Amino acid sequence: FEFLAKDPNQNVRRSVAKNPNVSLEILEVLAKDPDYDVRSAVAMNPKVSVEILKVLVKDLYWSVRYAVAENPNVSPEILEVLAKDPNYGIRWAVAENPKVSVEILKVLSKDPDYSVRSAVARNPNVSVEILKALSKDPDDNVRLAVAKNPKVSMEILEFLAKDPNDDVRSSVAMNPNVSSETLKVLSKDPNENVRYAVAMNPKVSLEILEVLSKDKDYSVHSVALEELNKRNLKESKTKLLNLLFR
């Protein structure tokens, strides 16, 4: 590797920088390589140390800093620096990182770029407090990400059930945390995709399925009937087993 790390061809040096078996000493040398693709490869290497990432976080090329933000070894301190990066793509990568802290997510939840705020809403570390704030975001994509988050509360889903965007309401209907009351409200939604999503939710009651089985939209009443048949069959099997094993 030492010999190849000095190869005049940048593609060879990049291949060395990407190799997970390369030593930290060689990665340290390649972190100062004149070619930004080589430095990006170093930043992406799962073996790279936090010390090397601290050097690369100051790189002039956005692709190198982006690779730092995505590295699984990146420290909270480095993520804090990158959360203030002028490039929105790097801030997005920070918001997507599963190691990012709630404090940084709170800062990024107010980011001027909607894709960054959407990434915050998708992050598994996001707090209910942040999700509540983002549920009122002016951008549809951000509210959609909130509605899809498995951590979102019943109260937030109830609020988003009144959202003007059809996709947001559909996502509310599919969320496993949605309440029976909210599903009942959405079963009367003017949009057929929302009603279809209600019928698909495993939590939907038999009462709602009965109503949706008579829906004017073919796809809605078809899926509601199919779900009713499945539940009736399951109930019949349970009753039969109870009779056999009394």
Side-chain angles (χ1 to χ4, degrees), residues 209 212-214 220-230:
L209 283 174
L212 291 175
S213 67
K214 301 175 185 75
V220 176
H221 74 240
S222 295
V223 76
L225 277 171
E226 188 183 341
E227 188 56 36
L228 276 172
N229 290 334
K230 276 183 193 173

Side-chain angles (χ1 to χ4, degrees), residues 33-41 59 61 63-64:
D33 196 277
D35 188 89
Y36 69 87
D37 279 338
V38 175
R39 300 195 304 277
S40 294
D59 201 280
Y61 280 83
S63 59
V64 179

Side-chain angles (χ1 to χ4, degrees), residues 161-188:
K162 304 178 190 89
D163 197 275
N165 185 282
D166 298 338
D167 291 335
V168 173
R169 299 195 309 279
S170 292
S171 294
V172 169
M174 286 188 282
N175 195 295
N177 297 333
V178 68
S179 68
S180 301
E181 291 76 17
T182 301
L183 282 174
K184 194 171 183 179
V185 170
L186 291 173
S187 69
K188 297 165 189 165

